Amino acid sequence: MSHARQTGFFWSERTFWHGGGNYASVLPVGGMVEPLAAGGLPESPEAKRRLKSLVDVSGLGAKLAMAGAEAATEEDLLRVHASSYIHDFRSLSDRGGGEIGLRAPFGPGGYDIAALSAGLAVAAIRAVASGDLKNAYALCRPPGHHCLPEWPNGFCLLANIAVGVEAALAEGRTKRVAILDWDVHHGNGTEAIFWERGDVLTVSIHQERNYPLDTGGFEARGSGPGTGANLNIPLPPGAGHLAWMAALERLALPAIEAFRPDLVVVASGYDAAFVDPLGRMVLTAESFRAMTEATMALADNIAGGRLVLVHEGGYSDVYAPFCAHAAIAALAGEAGLDDPFGAATEARQPSDAANGFFLGLIDAMAEAL
């Protein structure tokens, strides 16, 4: 049966079994840092498992082409990651787990689970780039957009999107790719991997100086053949729906349109949502639906509709699933759910004066390009 006009949903129960180490939020347990009752990093399986449950229980899953995937192969991974890192990661995983980089712990089998997470991105990108699916969503865990070629950090162990994009390029399924990142944290790993590449545009809308502290500035535009093929849109804390939509519509989407990719991939994090513990923004589930719809419209015009959303952050176990559900429903052209936080988020949107400040910054960035 052909799924060419359907929305794909790539997931695996196994990815929910990734262990986050002995942390209390982002702090290693020890000394005066007491373990939490729940334990582990904020990047836990709960939000992702609840998203999959919400997709099923709401009936949205019946409208999607559900699929699993094989783990990314070593050949796939070595297009992005250093062989020394892959060797060290796999060896430590086989010995029971540990931590190589910064805030990127893993338990037994962590390498295999991370490779499966990357494989979900590879499969989703491959299916859409080939025209087998209209568009797709990859529920990846662990996430990937902070991972550098030789150094994992920020909960990210392998660069899922970069691995998928490089596979599609190597296989001749695509020639020019735009990667749009609307996670609240800067997509520093993706930026670094494609920094000198002219065939991949990287755009990141994020909270200024949240994580990492030393990347994500507006002035960072790439180098060599990649000069001009990187765009950072840092927003101050407190920005809400109006500012994020303006950043998308006035800066991000015009940059993608000018680049003329034949495939658009979104690093879709939900930590810019209201109540997220690791962000200080005020987005709603409707914000993620609106951003997805605007990006779909652009992809329809310039890339034959080829669009893949890859799950990144989002650490409110209760609200992140509703935000992700809204994005997936938009991809599938289906009605969403009532937002249980709708009244609270609307009441906390920035004032007119604050929005004027945010929009002024966005206009200044647009004028500087």
Side-chain angles (χ1 to χ4, degrees):
M1 176 181 177
S2 173
H3 296 301
R5 302 309 301 164
Q6 280 191 269
T7 294
F9 185 88
F10 291 79
W11 78 287
S12 171
E13 169 67 27
R14 183 65 176 153
T15 64
F16 302 154
W17 292 29
H18 165 58
N22 197 16
Y23 274 71
S25 186
V26 297
L27 298 176
V29 170
M32 298 304 294
V33 179
E34 181 183 3
L36 291 170
L41 293 167
E43 200 290 301
S44 74
E46 191 67 10
K48 290 78 179 175
R49 183 173 279 123
R50 288 170 67 96
L51 167 59
K52 175 57 170 56
S53 297
L54 191 63
V55 165
D56 291 339
V57 172
S58 68
L60 178 58
K63 310 294 179 61
L64 306 174
M66 291 282 184
E70 298 295 323
T73 65
E74 186 168 314
E75 180 182 11
D76 293 330
L77 300 180
L78 290 175
R79 294 190 187 99
V80 172
H81 294 288
S83 59
S84 58
Y85 170 59
I86 296 301
H87 175 270
D88 291 347
F89 182 9
R90 178 187 281 146
S91 296
L92 189 55
S93 173
D94 290 344
R95 296 197 304 270
E99 185 166 3
I100 299 175
L102 175 66
R103 299 190 187 95
F106 52 92
Y111 173 86
D112 297 321
I113 296 175
L116 176 56
S117 180
L120 293 170
V122 171
I125 290 171
R126 181 179 285 145
V128 173
S130 301
D132 296 332
L133 290 167
K134 177 182 179 182
N135 52 43
Y137 192 94
L139 180 53
C140 295
R141 180 177 184 265
H145 73 148
H146 293 311
C147 191
L148 299 164
E150 300 184 60
W151 200 73
N153 70 106
F155 317 152
C156 300
L157 291 161
L158 294 170
N160 301 327
I161 288 174
V163 171
V165 166
E166 290 284 32
L169 288 167
E171 294 163 0
R173 300 175 193 274
T174 182
K175 294 182 178 179
R176 290 173 70 81
V177 182
I179 302 172
L180 169 61
D181 189 326
W182 60 49
D183 188 282
V184 82
H185 306 108
H186 176 232
N188 63 303
T190 313
E191 175 186 274
I193 290 162
F194 297 110
W195 183 251
E196 296 185 345
R197 292 278 291 277
D199 56 346
V200 179
L201 172 70
T202 50
V203 181
S204 178
I205 310 174
H206 52 269
Q207 182 181 320
E208 185 177 26
R209 291 181 57 80
N210 182 328
Y211 186 89
L213 293 175
D214 58 348
T215 66
F218 177 70
E219 71 285 351
R221 299 303 314 280
S223 67
T227 299
N230 185 76
L231 175 61
N232 289 321
I233 308 169
L235 299 177
H241 179 90
L242 186 64
W244 279 73
M245 289 303 300
L248 183 74
E249 294 171 346
R250 299 183 194 181
L251 290 166
L253 296 185
I256 295 171
E257 183 173 22
F259 186 74
R260 307 300 295 184
D262 49 34
L263 173 69
V264 180
V265 182
V266 177
S268 192
Y270 304 97
D271 33 16
F274 169 68
V275 308
D276 194 277
L278 298 187
R280 295 296 178 266
M281 295 296 186
V282 200
L283 295 193
T284 69
E286 177 56 31
S287 302
F288 292 101
R289 182 179 185 98
M291 290 195 297
T292 302
E293 289 176 340
T295 307
M296 288 174 66
L298 179 66
D300 284 343
N301 288 335
I302 65 173
R306 296 181 182 88
L307 175 63
V308 180
L309 269 60
V310 177
H311 197 104
E312 289 286 349
Y315 307 104
S316 169
D317 292 344
V318 176
Y319 197 38
F322 284 93
C323 295
H325 186 283
I328 298 163
L331 279 179
E334 297 292 331
L337 299 172
D338 290 337
D339 184 349
F341 282 93
T345 52
E346 287 302 318
R348 288 167 174 79
Q349 289 299 304
S351 66
D352 289 344
N355 276 327
F357 170 72
F358 295 133
L359 296 180
L361 290 176
I362 292 165
D363 287 342
M365 283 188 271
E367 291 174 5
L369 291 178

